[in-house]
Amino acid sequence: MDDIKIIHLPKYEDLRGNLSFIEEEDHIPFKIKRVYWIYDVPGGMRRGGHSFKIQQEFIVALSGSFDVEVSDGINNKTFQLNRSYYGLYVPAGYWREMNSFSTNSLALVISSTEFSENDYIREHSDFLKLRSL
Ligand code: TYD
């Protein structure tokens, strides 16, 4: 699971506030095809319990905090995201879930693919089968 990693982004600080940015194939290792965001998550809700066959993604907590749990079917890792100047790179082929959303949190997801339901593995048992587990 060493290919799942926190990537720190540039951060320009001055008296007017901070600025960070992301450029494809520079700060993140893929071309950007889609950006979506998750917000207004009611307390205790979990999102994104699934795997992707092809999609790579980079997840940033633009506001507030939440946890990203990633699993290869055997090992699990949990990353707490709570700053907008770093994010989590998740390659294809892992099971990932987002939970523990704080009030008013805003999760930005930058994706390497356009939306395709065919790219999702939504059943955990199918995920384990694909990983030969
Ligand atoms: P889904 O990926 O299942 O949400 P999460 O992983 O956060 O639990 O997406 C929820 C719904 O939104 C689902 O019907 C598919 C749709 N959707 C799109 O149409 N386009 C998109 O880019 C995304 C991410 C989801």
Side-chain angles (χ1 to χ4, degrees), residues 34-38 46-50 52 55 96 98 109 113-117 120 122:
R34 176 167 50 111
V35 175
Y36 63 94
W37 49 100
I38 297 169
R46 308 167 84 85
R47 304 272 331 200
H50 46 64
F52 294 112
Q55 177 182 316
R96 75 104 165 107
M98 299 158 77
V109 184
T113 64
E114 287 164 5
F115 176 75
S116 165
E117 189 58 43
Y120 281 74
R122 290 194 183 271

mmCIF file with all atom_site columns, all heavy atoms in Angstrom, residues 34-38 46-50 52 55 96 98 109 113-117 120 122, ligand 1:
data_model
loop_
_atom_site.group_PDB
_atom_site.id
_atom_site.type_symbol
_atom_site.label_atom_id
_atom_site.label_alt_id
_atom_site.label_comp_id
_atom_site.label_asym_id
_atom_site.label_entity_id
_atom_site.label_seq_id
_atom_site.pdbx_PDB_ins_code
_atom_site.Cartn_x
_atom_site.Cartn_y
_atom_site.Cartn_z
_atom_site.occupancy
_atom_site.B_iso_or_equiv
_atom_site.pdbx_formal_charge
_atom_site.auth_seq_id
_atom_site.auth_comp_id
_atom_site.auth_asym_id
_atom_site.auth_atom_id
_atom_site.pdbx_PDB_model_num
ATOM   1   N N   . ARG A 1 34  ? -11.703 14.981 -14.261 1.00 0.00 ? 34  ARG A N   1
ATOM   2   C CA  . ARG A 1 34  ? -12.960 15.338 -13.579 1.00 0.00 ? 34  ARG A CA  1
ATOM   3   C C   . ARG A 1 34  ? -12.645 15.797 -12.168 1.00 0.00 ? 34  ARG A C   1
ATOM   4   O O   . ARG A 1 34  ? -11.686 15.327 -11.545 1.00 0.00 ? 34  ARG A O   1
ATOM   5   C CB  . ARG A 1 34  ? -13.864 14.104 -13.527 1.00 0.00 ? 34  ARG A CB  1
ATOM   6   C CG  . ARG A 1 34  ? -15.165 14.260 -12.781 1.00 0.00 ? 34  ARG A CG  1
ATOM   7   C CD  . ARG A 1 34  ? -16.061 13.059 -13.099 1.00 0.00 ? 34  ARG A CD  1
ATOM   8   N NE  . ARG A 1 34  ? -15.332 11.826 -12.910 1.00 0.00 ? 34  ARG A NE  1
ATOM   9   C CZ  . ARG A 1 34  ? -15.574 10.936 -11.947 1.00 0.00 ? 34  ARG A CZ  1
ATOM   10  N NH1 . ARG A 1 34  ? -16.570 11.125 -11.123 1.00 0.00 ? 34  ARG A NH1 1
ATOM   11  N NH2 . ARG A 1 34  ? -14.853 9.850  -11.825 1.00 0.00 ? 34  ARG A NH2 1
ATOM   12  N N   . VAL A 1 35  ? -13.475 16.721 -11.709 1.00 0.00 ? 35  VAL A N   1
ATOM   13  C CA  . VAL A 1 35  ? -13.372 17.186 -10.325 1.00 0.00 ? 35  VAL A CA  1
ATOM   14  C C   . VAL A 1 35  ? -14.764 17.133 -9.733  1.00 0.00 ? 35  VAL A C   1
ATOM   15  O O   . VAL A 1 35  ? -15.724 17.582 -10.366 1.00 0.00 ? 35  VAL A O   1
ATOM   16  C CB  . VAL A 1 35  ? -12.850 18.642 -10.280 1.00 0.00 ? 35  VAL A CB  1
ATOM   17  C CG1 . VAL A 1 35  ? -12.855 19.172 -8.854  1.00 0.00 ? 35  VAL A CG1 1
ATOM   18  C CG2 . VAL A 1 35  ? -11.457 18.737 -10.873 1.00 0.00 ? 35  VAL A CG2 1
ATOM   19  N N   . TYR A 1 36  ? -14.906 16.538 -8.566  1.00 0.00 ? 36  TYR A N   1
ATOM   20  C CA  . TYR A 1 36  ? -16.193 16.619 -7.880  1.00 0.00 ? 36  TYR A CA  1
ATOM   21  C C   . TYR A 1 36  ? -15.965 16.865 -6.396  1.00 0.00 ? 36  TYR A C   1
ATOM   22  O O   . TYR A 1 36  ? -14.822 16.793 -5.920  1.00 0.00 ? 36  TYR A O   1
ATOM   23  C CB  . TYR A 1 36  ? -17.053 15.377 -8.123  1.00 0.00 ? 36  TYR A CB  1
ATOM   24  C CG  . TYR A 1 36  ? -16.522 14.058 -7.614  1.00 0.00 ? 36  TYR A CG  1
ATOM   25  C CD1 . TYR A 1 36  ? -16.896 13.573 -6.363  1.00 0.00 ? 36  TYR A CD1 1
ATOM   26  C CD2 . TYR A 1 36  ? -15.671 13.275 -8.390  1.00 0.00 ? 36  TYR A CD2 1
ATOM   27  C CE1 . TYR A 1 36  ? -16.447 12.338 -5.891  1.00 0.00 ? 36  TYR A CE1 1
ATOM   28  C CE2 . TYR A 1 36  ? -15.214 12.048 -7.913  1.00 0.00 ? 36  TYR A CE2 1
ATOM   29  C CZ  . TYR A 1 36  ? -15.598 11.594 -6.681  1.00 0.00 ? 36  TYR A CZ  1
ATOM   30  O OH  . TYR A 1 36  ? -15.142 10.382 -6.224  1.00 0.00 ? 36  TYR A OH  1
ATOM   31  N N   . TRP A 1 37  ? -17.014 17.215 -5.708  1.00 0.00 ? 37  TRP A N   1
ATOM   32  C CA  . TRP A 1 37  ? -16.857 17.527 -4.291  1.00 0.00 ? 37  TRP A CA  1
ATOM   33  C C   . TRP A 1 37  ? -18.048 17.021 -3.511  1.00 0.00 ? 37  TRP A C   1
ATOM   34  O O   . TRP A 1 37  ? -19.154 16.880 -4.039  1.00 0.00 ? 37  TRP A O   1
ATOM   35  C CB  . TRP A 1 37  ? -16.609 19.023 -4.059  1.00 0.00 ? 37  TRP A CB  1
ATOM   36  C CG  . TRP A 1 37  ? -17.539 19.950 -4.750  1.00 0.00 ? 37  TRP A CG  1
ATOM   37  C CD1 . TRP A 1 37  ? -18.616 20.576 -4.211  1.00 0.00 ? 37  TRP A CD1 1
ATOM   38  C CD2 . TRP A 1 37  ? -17.455 20.387 -6.117  1.00 0.00 ? 37  TRP A CD2 1
ATOM   39  N NE1 . TRP A 1 37  ? -19.220 21.364 -5.162  1.00 0.00 ? 37  TRP A NE1 1
ATOM   40  C CE2 . TRP A 1 37  ? -18.526 21.271 -6.346  1.00 0.00 ? 37  TRP A CE2 1
ATOM   41  C CE3 . TRP A 1 37  ? -16.583 20.108 -7.192  1.00 0.00 ? 37  TRP A CE3 1
ATOM   42  C CZ2 . TRP A 1 37  ? -18.752 21.863 -7.584  1.00 0.00 ? 37  TRP A CZ2 1
ATOM   43  C CZ3 . TRP A 1 37  ? -16.820 20.713 -8.420  1.00 0.00 ? 37  TRP A CZ3 1
ATOM   44  C CH2 . TRP A 1 37  ? -17.873 21.584 -8.599  1.00 0.00 ? 37  TRP A CH2 1
ATOM   45  N N   . ILE A 1 38  ? -17.784 16.715 -2.252  1.00 0.00 ? 38  ILE A N   1
ATOM   46  C CA  . ILE A 1 38  ? -18.789 16.134 -1.355  1.00 0.00 ? 38  ILE A CA  1
ATOM   47  C C   . ILE A 1 38  ? -18.953 17.098 -0.185  1.00 0.00 ? 38  ILE A C   1
ATOM   48  O O   . ILE A 1 38  ? -17.958 17.508 0.425   1.00 0.00 ? 38  ILE A O   1
ATOM   49  C CB  . ILE A 1 38  ? -18.326 14.735 -0.884  1.00 0.00 ? 38  ILE A CB  1
ATOM   50  C CG1 . ILE A 1 38  ? -18.227 13.803 -2.092  1.00 0.00 ? 38  ILE A CG1 1
ATOM   51  C CG2 . ILE A 1 38  ? -19.283 14.174 0.158   1.00 0.00 ? 38  ILE A CG2 1
ATOM   52  C CD1 . ILE A 1 38  ? -17.531 12.490 -1.797  1.00 0.00 ? 38  ILE A CD1 1
ATOM   53  N N   . ARG A 1 46  ? -21.274 7.833  6.026   1.00 0.00 ? 46  ARG A N   1
ATOM   54  C CA  . ARG A 1 46  ? -20.068 7.323  5.370   1.00 0.00 ? 46  ARG A CA  1
ATOM   55  C C   . ARG A 1 46  ? -20.278 7.427  3.869   1.00 0.00 ? 46  ARG A C   1
ATOM   56  O O   . ARG A 1 46  ? -21.392 7.207  3.387   1.00 0.00 ? 46  ARG A O   1
ATOM   57  C CB  . ARG A 1 46  ? -19.852 5.860  5.757   1.00 0.00 ? 46  ARG A CB  1
ATOM   58  C CG  . ARG A 1 46  ? -19.875 5.640  7.253   1.00 0.00 ? 46  ARG A CG  1
ATOM   59  C CD  . ARG A 1 46  ? -19.985 4.170  7.615   1.00 0.00 ? 46  ARG A CD  1
ATOM   60  N NE  . ARG A 1 46  ? -18.693 3.523  7.601   1.00 0.00 ? 46  ARG A NE  1
ATOM   61  C CZ  . ARG A 1 46  ? -17.858 3.520  8.633   1.00 0.00 ? 46  ARG A CZ  1
ATOM   62  N NH1 . ARG A 1 46  ? -18.177 4.118  9.753   1.00 0.00 ? 46  ARG A NH1 1
ATOM   63  N NH2 . ARG A 1 46  ? -16.698 2.919  8.565   1.00 0.00 ? 46  ARG A NH2 1
ATOM   64  N N   . ARG A 1 47  ? -19.225 7.739  3.144   1.00 0.00 ? 47  ARG A N   1
ATOM   65  C CA  . ARG A 1 47  ? -19.319 7.877  1.688   1.00 0.00 ? 47  ARG A CA  1
ATOM   66  C C   . ARG A 1 47  ? -18.227 7.037  1.036   1.00 0.00 ? 47  ARG A C   1
ATOM   67  O O   . ARG A 1 47  ? -17.175 6.792  1.617   1.00 0.00 ? 47  ARG A O   1
ATOM   68  C CB  . ARG A 1 47  ? -19.084 9.337  1.245   1.00 0.00 ? 47  ARG A CB  1
ATOM   69  C CG  . ARG A 1 47  ? -19.968 10.375 1.835   1.00 0.00 ? 47  ARG A CG  1
ATOM   70  C CD  . ARG A 1 47  ? -21.232 10.622 1.127   1.00 0.00 ? 47  ARG A CD  1
ATOM   71  N NE  . ARG A 1 47  ? -21.275 10.404 -0.297  1.00 0.00 ? 47  ARG A NE  1
ATOM   72  C CZ  . ARG A 1 47  ? -22.184 10.934 -1.088  1.00 0.00 ? 47  ARG A CZ  1
ATOM   73  N NH1 . ARG A 1 47  ? -23.101 11.729 -0.592  1.00 0.00 ? 47  ARG A NH1 1
ATOM   74  N NH2 . ARG A 1 47  ? -22.212 10.659 -2.372  1.00 0.00 ? 47  ARG A NH2 1
ATOM   75  N N   . GLY A 1 48  ? -18.500 6.714  -0.211  1.00 0.00 ? 48  GLY A N   1
ATOM   76  C CA  . GLY A 1 48  ? -17.439 6.160  -1.038  1.00 0.00 ? 48  GLY A CA  1
ATOM   77  C C   . GLY A 1 48  ? -16.941 4.795  -0.638  1.00 0.00 ? 48  GLY A C   1
ATOM   78  O O   . GLY A 1 48  ? -15.745 4.523  -0.776  1.00 0.00 ? 48  GLY A O   1
ATOM   79  N N   . GLY A 1 49  ? -17.799 3.926  -0.157  1.00 0.00 ? 49  GLY A N   1
ATOM   80  C CA  . GLY A 1 49  ? -17.377 2.568  0.128   1.00 0.00 ? 49  GLY A CA  1
ATOM   81  C C   . GLY A 1 49  ? -17.382 1.747  -1.141  1.00 0.00 ? 49  GLY A C   1
ATOM   82  O O   . GLY A 1 49  ? -18.371 1.102  -1.490  1.00 0.00 ? 49  GLY A O   1
ATOM   83  N N   . HIS A 1 50  ? -16.283 1.803  -1.871  1.00 0.00 ? 50  HIS A N   1
ATOM   84  C CA  . HIS A 1 50  ? -16.175 1.075  -3.141  1.00 0.00 ? 50  HIS A CA  1
ATOM   85  C C   . HIS A 1 50  ? -14.736 1.117  -3.630  1.00 0.00 ? 50  HIS A C   1
ATOM   86  O O   . HIS A 1 50  ? -13.870 1.747  -3.004  1.00 0.00 ? 50  HIS A O   1
ATOM   87  C CB  . HIS A 1 50  ? -17.120 1.647  -4.207  1.00 0.00 ? 50  HIS A CB  1
ATOM   88  C CG  . HIS A 1 50  ? -17.114 3.136  -4.305  1.00 0.00 ? 50  HIS A CG  1
ATOM   89  N ND1 . HIS A 1 50  ? -16.011 3.845  -4.686  1.00 0.00 ? 50  HIS A ND1 1
ATOM   90  C CD2 . HIS A 1 50  ? -18.078 4.058  -4.043  1.00 0.00 ? 50  HIS A CD2 1
ATOM   91  C CE1 . HIS A 1 50  ? -16.304 5.125  -4.677  1.00 0.00 ? 50  HIS A CE1 1
ATOM   92  N NE2 . HIS A 1 50  ? -17.541 5.299  -4.266  1.00 0.00 ? 50  HIS A NE2 1
ATOM   93  N N   . PHE A 1 52  ? -12.275 1.356  -7.420  1.00 0.00 ? 52  PHE A N   1
ATOM   94  C CA  . PHE A 1 52  ? -12.298 1.703  -8.846  1.00 0.00 ? 52  PHE A CA  1
ATOM   95  C C   . PHE A 1 52  ? -11.323 0.811  -9.597  1.00 0.00 ? 52  PHE A C   1
ATOM   96  O O   . PHE A 1 52  ? -10.224 0.529  -9.111  1.00 0.00 ? 52  PHE A O   1
ATOM   97  C CB  . PHE A 1 52  ? -11.896 3.166  -9.052  1.00 0.00 ? 52  PHE A CB  1
ATOM   98  C CG  . PHE A 1 52  ? -12.863 4.153  -8.476  1.00 0.00 ? 52  PHE A CG  1
ATOM   99  C CD1 . PHE A 1 52  ? -12.515 4.931  -7.387  1.00 0.00 ? 52  PHE A CD1 1
ATOM   100 C CD2 . PHE A 1 52  ? -14.124 4.309  -9.026  1.00 0.00 ? 52  PHE A CD2 1
ATOM   101 C CE1 . PHE A 1 52  ? -13.403 5.843  -6.841  1.00 0.00 ? 52  PHE A CE1 1
ATOM   102 C CE2 . PHE A 1 52  ? -15.028 5.221  -8.499  1.00 0.00 ? 52  PHE A CE2 1
ATOM   103 C CZ  . PHE A 1 52  ? -14.665 5.990  -7.401  1.00 0.00 ? 52  PHE A CZ  1
ATOM   104 N N   . GLN A 1 55  ? -9.875  4.326  -12.145 1.00 0.00 ? 55  GLN A N   1
ATOM   105 C CA  . GLN A 1 55  ? -9.758  5.693  -11.615 1.00 0.00 ? 55  GLN A CA  1
ATOM   106 C C   . GLN A 1 55  ? -8.696  5.830  -10.540 1.00 0.00 ? 55  GLN A C   1
ATOM   107 O O   . GLN A 1 55  ? -8.689  5.117  -9.536  1.00 0.00 ? 55  GLN A O   1
ATOM   108 C CB  . GLN A 1 55  ? -11.103 6.139  -11.031 1.00 0.00 ? 55  GLN A CB  1
ATOM   109 C CG  . GLN A 1 55  ? -11.037 7.528  -10.396 1.00 0.00 ? 55  GLN A CG  1
ATOM   110 C CD  . GLN A 1 55  ? -12.356 7.958  -9.783  1.00 0.00 ? 55  GLN A CD  1
ATOM   111 O OE1 . GLN A 1 55  ? -13.400 7.782  -10.379 1.00 0.00 ? 55  GLN A OE1 1
ATOM   112 N NE2 . GLN A 1 55  ? -12.306 8.522  -8.598  1.00 0.00 ? 55  GLN A NE2 1
ATOM   113 N N   . ARG A 1 96  ? -11.949 2.014  -0.832  1.00 0.00 ? 96  ARG A N   1
ATOM   114 C CA  . ARG A 1 96  ? -11.794 3.222  -0.024  1.00 0.00 ? 96  ARG A CA  1
ATOM   115 C C   . ARG A 1 96  ? -13.142 3.767  0.436   1.00 0.00 ? 96  ARG A C   1
ATOM   116 O O   . ARG A 1 96  ? -14.139 3.722  -0.265  1.00 0.00 ? 96  ARG A O   1
ATOM   117 C CB  . ARG A 1 96  ? -10.954 4.276  -0.746  1.00 0.00 ? 96  ARG A CB  1
ATOM   118 C CG  . ARG A 1 96  ? -11.647 5.023  -1.884  1.00 0.00 ? 96  ARG A CG  1
ATOM   119 C CD  . ARG A 1 96  ? -12.033 6.421  -1.434  1.00 0.00 ? 96  ARG A CD  1
ATOM   120 N NE  . ARG A 1 96  ? -12.372 7.259  -2.577  1.00 0.00 ? 96  ARG A NE  1
ATOM   121 C CZ  . ARG A 1 96  ? -13.617 7.621  -2.859  1.00 0.00 ? 96  ARG A CZ  1
ATOM   122 N NH1 . ARG A 1 96  ? -14.626 7.164  -2.159  1.00 0.00 ? 96  ARG A NH1 1
ATOM   123 N NH2 . ARG A 1 96  ? -13.851 8.424  -3.880  1.00 0.00 ? 96  ARG A NH2 1
ATOM   124 N N   . MET A 1 98  ? -14.904 7.047  2.979   1.00 0.00 ? 98  MET A N   1
ATOM   125 C CA  . MET A 1 98  ? -14.691 8.331  3.662   1.00 0.00 ? 98  MET A CA  1
ATOM   126 C C   . MET A 1 98  ? -15.715 8.434  4.792   1.00 0.00 ? 98  MET A C   1
ATOM   127 O O   . MET A 1 98  ? -16.899 8.161  4.572   1.00 0.00 ? 98  MET A O   1
ATOM   128 C CB  . MET A 1 98  ? -14.852 9.476  2.672   1.00 0.00 ? 98  MET A CB  1
ATOM   129 C CG  . MET A 1 98  ? -13.845 9.389  1.530   1.00 0.00 ? 98  MET A CG  1
ATOM   130 S SD  . MET A 1 98  ? -14.349 10.282 0.070   1.00 0.00 ? 98  MET A SD  1
ATOM   131 C CE  . MET A 1 98  ? -14.000 11.940 0.567   1.00 0.00 ? 98  MET A CE  1
ATOM   132 N N   . VAL A 1 109 ? -12.511 15.915 -4.713  1.00 0.00 ? 109 VAL A N   1
ATOM   133 C CA  . VAL A 1 109 ? -11.926 14.701 -5.298  1.00 0.00 ? 109 VAL A CA  1
ATOM   134 C C   . VAL A 1 109 ? -11.545 15.013 -6.739  1.00 0.00 ? 109 VAL A C   1
ATOM   135 O O   . VAL A 1 109 ? -12.393 15.413 -7.547  1.00 0.00 ? 109 VAL A O   1
ATOM   136 C CB  . VAL A 1 109 ? -12.912 13.510 -5.267  1.00 0.00 ? 109 VAL A CB  1
ATOM   137 C CG1 . VAL A 1 109 ? -12.230 12.244 -5.794  1.00 0.00 ? 109 VAL A CG1 1
ATOM   138 C CG2 . VAL A 1 109 ? -13.432 13.270 -3.848  1.00 0.00 ? 109 VAL A CG2 1
ATOM   139 N N   . THR A 1 113 ? -10.332 9.997  -14.368 1.00 0.00 ? 113 THR A N   1
ATOM   140 C CA  . THR A 1 113 ? -11.267 9.508  -15.396 1.00 0.00 ? 113 THR A CA  1
ATOM   141 C C   . THR A 1 113 ? -12.560 10.322 -15.392 1.00 0.00 ? 113 THR A C   1
ATOM   142 O O   . THR A 1 113 ? -12.909 10.953 -14.392 1.00 0.00 ? 113 THR A O   1
ATOM   143 C CB  . THR A 1 113 ? -11.670 8.039  -15.132 1.00 0.00 ? 113 THR A CB  1
ATOM   144 O OG1 . THR A 1 113 ? -12.387 7.990  -13.893 1.00 0.00 ? 113 THR A OG1 1
ATOM   145 C CG2 . THR A 1 113 ? -10.478 7.119  -15.069 1.00 0.00 ? 113 THR A CG2 1
ATOM   146 N N   . GLU A 1 114 ? -13.273 10.235 -16.506 1.00 0.00 ? 114 GLU A N   1
ATOM   147 C CA  . GLU A 1 114 ? -14.638 10.731 -16.526 1.00 0.00 ? 114 GLU A CA  1
ATOM   148 C C   . GLU A 1 114 ? -15.500 9.756  -15.742 1.00 0.00 ? 114 GLU A C   1
ATOM   149 O O   . GLU A 1 114 ? -15.098 8.616  -15.519 1.00 0.00 ? 114 GLU A O   1
ATOM   150 C CB  . GLU A 1 114 ? -15.130 10.848 -17.973 1.00 0.00 ? 114 GLU A CB  1
ATOM   151 C CG  . GLU A 1 114 ? -14.483 12.019 -18.684 1.00 0.00 ? 114 GLU A CG  1
ATOM   152 C CD  . GLU A 1 114 ? -14.636 11.965 -20.189 1.00 0.00 ? 114 GLU A CD  1
ATOM   153 O OE1 . GLU A 1 114 ? -15.325 11.060 -20.697 1.00 0.00 ? 114 GLU A OE1 1
ATOM   154 O OE2 . GLU A 1 114 ? -14.048 12.839 -20.853 1.00 0.00 ? 114 GLU A OE2 1
ATOM   155 N N   . PHE A 1 115 ? -16.694 10.193 -15.342 1.00 0.00 ? 115 PHE A N   1
ATOM   156 C CA  . PHE A 1 115 ? -17.552 9.303  -14.558 1.00 0.00 ? 115 PHE A CA  1
ATOM   157 C C   . PHE A 1 115 ? -17.981 8.101  -15.394 1.00 0.00 ? 115 PHE A C   1
ATOM   158 O O   . PHE A 1 115 ? -18.437 8.246  -16.527 1.00 0.00 ? 115 PHE A O   1
ATOM   159 C CB  . PHE A 1 115 ? -18.802 10.044 -14.073 1.00 0.00 ? 115 PHE A CB  1
ATOM   160 C CG  . PHE A 1 115 ? -19.745 9.133  -13.349 1.00 0.00 ? 115 PHE A CG  1
ATOM   161 C CD1 . PHE A 1 115 ? -19.466 8.707  -12.064 1.00 0.00 ? 115 PHE A CD1 1
ATOM   162 C CD2 . PHE A 1 115 ? -20.885 8.651  -13.978 1.00 0.00 ? 115 PHE A CD2 1
ATOM   163 C CE1 . PHE A 1 115 ? -20.310 7.834  -11.402 1.00 0.00 ? 115 PHE A CE1 1
ATOM   164 C CE2 . PHE A 1 115 ? -21.741 7.784  -13.324 1.00 0.00 ? 115 PHE A CE2 1
ATOM   165 C CZ  . PHE A 1 115 ? -21.457 7.374  -12.035 1.00 0.00 ? 115 PHE A CZ  1
ATOM   166 N N   . SER A 1 116 ? -17.826 6.921  -14.828 1.00 0.00 ? 116 SER A N   1
ATOM   167 C CA  . SER A 1 116 ? -18.326 5.708  -15.473 1.00 0.00 ? 116 SER A CA  1
ATOM   168 C C   . SER A 1 116 ? -18.717 4.712  -14.384 1.00 0.00 ? 116 SER A C   1
ATOM   169 O O   . SER A 1 116 ? -17.860 4.279  -13.594 1.00 0.00 ? 116 SER A O   1
ATOM   170 C CB  . SER A 1 116 ? -17.245 5.092  -16.367 1.00 0.00 ? 116 SER A CB  1
ATOM   171 O OG  . SER A 1 116 ? -17.612 3.760  -16.691 1.00 0.00 ? 116 SER A OG  1
ATOM   172 N N   . GLU A 1 117 ? -19.982 4.373  -14.363 1.00 0.00 ? 117 GLU A N   1
ATOM   173 C CA  . GLU A 1 117 ? -20.449 3.407  -13.356 1.00 0.00 ? 117 GLU A CA  1
ATOM   174 C C   . GLU A 1 117 ? -19.722 2.072  -13.534 1.00 0.00 ? 117 GLU A C   1
ATOM   175 O O   . GLU A 1 117 ? -19.503 1.337  -12.569 1.00 0.00 ? 117 GLU A O   1
ATOM   176 C CB  . GLU A 1 117 ? -21.972 3.238  -13.474 1.00 0.00 ? 117 GLU A CB  1
ATOM   177 C CG  . GLU A 1 117 ? -22.620 2.426  -12.364 1.00 0.00 ? 117 GLU A CG  1
ATOM   178 C CD  . GLU A 1 117 ? -22.403 2.948  -10.936 1.00 0.00 ? 117 GLU A CD  1
ATOM   179 O OE1 . GLU A 1 117 ? -22.492 4.174  -10.724 1.00 0.00 ? 117 GLU A OE1 1
ATOM   180 O OE2 . GLU A 1 117 ? -22.129 2.120  -10.045 1.00 0.00 ? 117 GLU A OE2 1
ATOM   181 N N   . TYR A 1 120 ? -16.762 1.234  -11.302 1.00 0.00 ? 120 TYR A N   1
ATOM   182 C CA  . TYR A 1 120 ? -16.961 0.999  -9.866  1.00 0.00 ? 120 TYR A CA  1
ATOM   183 C C   . TYR A 1 120 ? -17.014 -0.494 -9.546  1.00 0.00 ? 120 TYR A C   1
ATOM   184 O O   . TYR A 1 120 ? -17.617 -1.271 -10.281 1.00 0.00 ? 120 TYR A O   1
ATOM   185 C CB  . TYR A 1 120 ? -18.298 1.570  -9.399  1.00 0.00 ? 120 TYR A CB  1
ATOM   186 C CG  . TYR A 1 120 ? -18.346 3.062  -9.160  1.00 0.00 ? 120 TYR A CG  1
ATOM   187 C CD1 . TYR A 1 120 ? -18.357 3.957  -10.224 1.00 0.00 ? 120 TYR A CD1 1
ATOM   188 C CD2 . TYR A 1 120 ? -18.435 3.574  -7.870  1.00 0.00 ? 120 TYR A CD2 1
ATOM   189 C CE1 . TYR A 1 120 ? -18.442 5.327  -10.012 1.00 0.00 ? 120 TYR A CE1 1
ATOM   190 C CE2 . TYR A 1 120 ? -18.521 4.945  -7.645  1.00 0.00 ? 120 TYR A CE2 1
ATOM   191 C CZ  . TYR A 1 120 ? -18.524 5.810  -8.719  1.00 0.00 ? 120 TYR A CZ  1
ATOM   192 O OH  . TYR A 1 120 ? -18.612 7.159  -8.509  1.00 0.00 ? 120 TYR A OH  1
ATOM   193 N N   . ARG A 1 122 ? -18.685 -2.063 -6.445  1.00 0.00 ? 122 ARG A N   1
ATOM   194 C CA  . ARG A 1 122 ? -19.458 -1.604 -5.282  1.00 0.00 ? 122 ARG A CA  1
ATOM   195 C C   . ARG A 1 122 ? -19.662 -2.704 -4.238  1.00 0.00 ? 122 ARG A C   1
ATOM   196 O O   . ARG A 1 122 ? -19.992 -2.417 -3.104  1.00 0.00 ? 122 ARG A O   1
ATOM   197 C CB  . ARG A 1 122 ? -20.809 -1.036 -5.743  1.00 0.00 ? 122 ARG A CB  1
ATOM   198 C CG  . ARG A 1 122 ? -20.668 0.293  -6.507  1.00 0.00 ? 122 ARG A CG  1
ATOM   199 C CD  . ARG A 1 122 ? -21.996 0.978  -6.654  1.00 0.00 ? 122 ARG A CD  1
ATOM   200 N NE  . ARG A 1 122 ? -21.918 2.223  -7.432  1.00 0.00 ? 122 ARG A NE  1
ATOM   201 C CZ  . ARG A 1 122 ? -21.675 3.415  -6.917  1.00 0.00 ? 122 ARG A CZ  1
ATOM   202 N NH1 . ARG A 1 122 ? -21.463 3.537  -5.618  1.00 0.00 ? 122 ARG A NH1 1
ATOM   203 N NH2 . ARG A 1 122 ? -21.630 4.490  -7.694  1.00 0.00 ? 122 ARG A NH2 1
HETATM 204 P P1  . TYD B 2 .   ? -20.965 7.761  -5.604  1.00 0.00 ? 1   TYD B P1  1
HETATM 205 O O1  . TYD B 2 .   ? -19.651 7.746  -6.303  1.00 0.00 ? 1   TYD B O1  1
HETATM 206 O O2  . TYD B 2 .   ? -21.649 6.454  -5.368  1.00 0.00 ? 1   TYD B O2  1
HETATM 207 O O3  . TYD B 2 .   ? -20.834 8.537  -4.215  1.00 0.00 ? 1   TYD B O3  1
HETATM 208 P P2  . TYD B 2 .   ? -19.858 8.214  -2.995  1.00 0.00 ? 1   TYD B P2  1
HETATM 209 O O4  . TYD B 2 .   ? -18.702 7.448  -3.539  1.00 0.00 ? 1   TYD B O4  1
HETATM 210 O O5  . TYD B 2 .   ? -19.455 9.527  -2.430  1.00 0.00 ? 1   TYD B O5  1
HETATM 211 O O6  . TYD B 2 .   ? -20.619 7.447  -1.983  1.00 0.00 ? 1   TYD B O6  1
HETATM 212 O O7  . TYD B 2 .   ? -21.920 8.742  -6.405  1.00 0.00 ? 1   TYD B O7  1
HETATM 213 C C1  . TYD B 2 .   ? -23.235 9.077  -5.963  1.00 0.00 ? 1   TYD B C1  1
HETATM 214 C C2  . TYD B 2 .   ? -24.106 9.271  -7.193  1.00 0.00 ? 1   TYD B C2  1
HETATM 215 O O8  . TYD B 2 .   ? -23.598 10.353 -7.985  1.00 0.00 ? 1   TYD B O8  1
HETATM 216 C C3  . TYD B 2 .   ? -24.142 8.047  -8.090  1.00 0.00 ? 1   TYD B C3  1
HETATM 217 O O9  . TYD B 2 .   ? -25.486 7.864  -8.529  1.00 0.00 ? 1   TYD B O9  1
HETATM 218 C C4  . TYD B 2 .   ? -23.293 8.416  -9.283  1.00 0.00 ? 1   TYD B C4  1
HETATM 219 C C5  . TYD B 2 .   ? -23.361 9.927  -9.327  1.00 0.00 ? 1   TYD B C5  1
HETATM 220 N N1  . TYD B 2 .   ? -22.113 10.550 -9.799  1.00 0.00 ? 1   TYD B N1  1
HETATM 221 C C6  . TYD B 2 .   ? -22.057 11.141 -11.046 1.00 0.00 ? 1   TYD B C6  1
HETATM 222 O O10 . TYD B 2 .   ? -23.050 11.133 -11.805 1.00 0.00 ? 1   TYD B O10 1
HETATM 223 N N2  . TYD B 2 .   ? -20.909 11.737 -11.456 1.00 0.00 ? 1   TYD B N2  1
HETATM 224 C C7  . TYD B 2 .   ? -19.795 11.765 -10.674 1.00 0.00 ? 1   TYD B C7  1
HETATM 225 O O11 . TYD B 2 .   ? -18.750 12.324 -11.073 1.00 0.00 ? 1   TYD B O11 1
HETATM 226 C C8  . TYD B 2 .   ? -19.847 11.118 -9.396  1.00 0.00 ? 1   TYD B C8  1
HETATM 227 C C9  . TYD B 2 .   ? -18.642 11.090 -8.495  1.00 0.00 ? 1   TYD B C9  1
HETATM 228 C C10 . TYD B 2 .   ? -21.014 10.527 -8.984  1.00 0.00 ? 1   TYD B C10 1
#
